[in-house]
Amino acid sequence: MGKLIPILMALIGIGAGVGAGIALRPDPAEVVEMHPCGDTDQSQGAHDTSAKDHDADAAEEETTNEYVKLNNQFVVPVVTNDLVNSLVVMSLSVEVAEGQSEVIYAREPKLRDAFLQVLFDHANVGGFEGEFTNANNMDILRASLRETAQGLIGDVVHNILITDIARQDV
């Protein structure tokens, strides 16, 4: 009976927290837009027109690109002192110009081989150790993968998207 009380208290606390979060959630209309420097937007009229133009540009860009998900995940061993310390598993997608997805599928074995080499090199220089998902590490990895893909396929490739990533320590 004494072991049951802490579990019940934890469940009540979790329930109260979830309930409070739902009850105190702001309405979508009340959300204030923040600038990267932390200042709130005071000029609604001028900002609305530029936001509409930016949204139109983003929508136009999305319609001219396709995203090709590579069929299998990539598994990368992280080796330290000649021992495998962890495995990194990731899924990648390739952003290409509209109508060019068949080019990626046709060259996928060669592309996978080149991507694996980039991922192994990234692991060997310590890219998957510590805070491996911080923005700088991920940007370096994406840039290396993009350069490799563009070297093999050409300017059809616009970007590489890391859709899933996980590290399992062994």
Side-chain angles (χ1 to χ4, degrees), residues 2-157:
K3 293 181 181 180
L4 190 60
I5 291 174
I7 294 172
L8 287 174
M9 294 298 288
L11 290 174
I12 291 170
I14 290 171
V18 169
I22 292 171
L24 298 175
R25 175 179 47 197
D27 291 333
E30 294 178 13
V31 175
V32 177
E33 184 174 338
M34 299 290 287
H35 291 286
C37 63
D39 298 333
T40 58
D41 188 13
Q42 301 296 326
S43 58
Q44 290 293 326
H47 181 69
D48 287 344
T49 57
S50 64
K52 290 177 185 174
D53 292 341
H54 178 69
D55 291 343
D57 292 343
E60 182 179 320
E61 181 179 323
E62 284 183 24
T63 59
T64 60
N65 293 331
E66 290 180 2
Y67 302 94
V68 180
K69 182 172 174 47
L70 297 180
N71 290 322
N72 297 317
Q73 295 177 324
F74 292 84
V75 179
V76 182
V78 178
V79 179
T80 306
N81 298 330
D82 296 330
L83 296 173
V84 176
N85 283 348
S86 57
L87 294 173
V88 175
V89 179
M90 61 182 4
S91 297
L92 300 176
S93 292
V94 182
E95 182 180 357
V96 296
E98 189 173 8
Q100 299 295 317
S101 60
E102 289 302 316
V103 174
I104 300 299
Y105 288 127
R107 305 282 310 267
E108 186 174 2
K110 185 118 176 121
L111 193 60
R112 286 186 65 82
D113 177 62
F115 281 175
L116 274 172
Q117 187 59 56
V118 170
L119 293 171
F120 291 155
D121 290 344
H122 189 74
N124 289 336
V125 297
F128 292 123
E129 295 174 6
E131 293 182 25
F132 70 100
T133 58
N134 76 24
N136 289 338
N137 280 344
M138 298 306 283
D139 288 343
I140 291 168
L141 181 57
R142 277 190 206 95
S144 297
L145 291 168
R146 183 180 55 248
E147 289 172 9
T148 301
Q150 288 174 341
L152 286 173
I153 297 175
D155 290 337
V156 170
V157 175

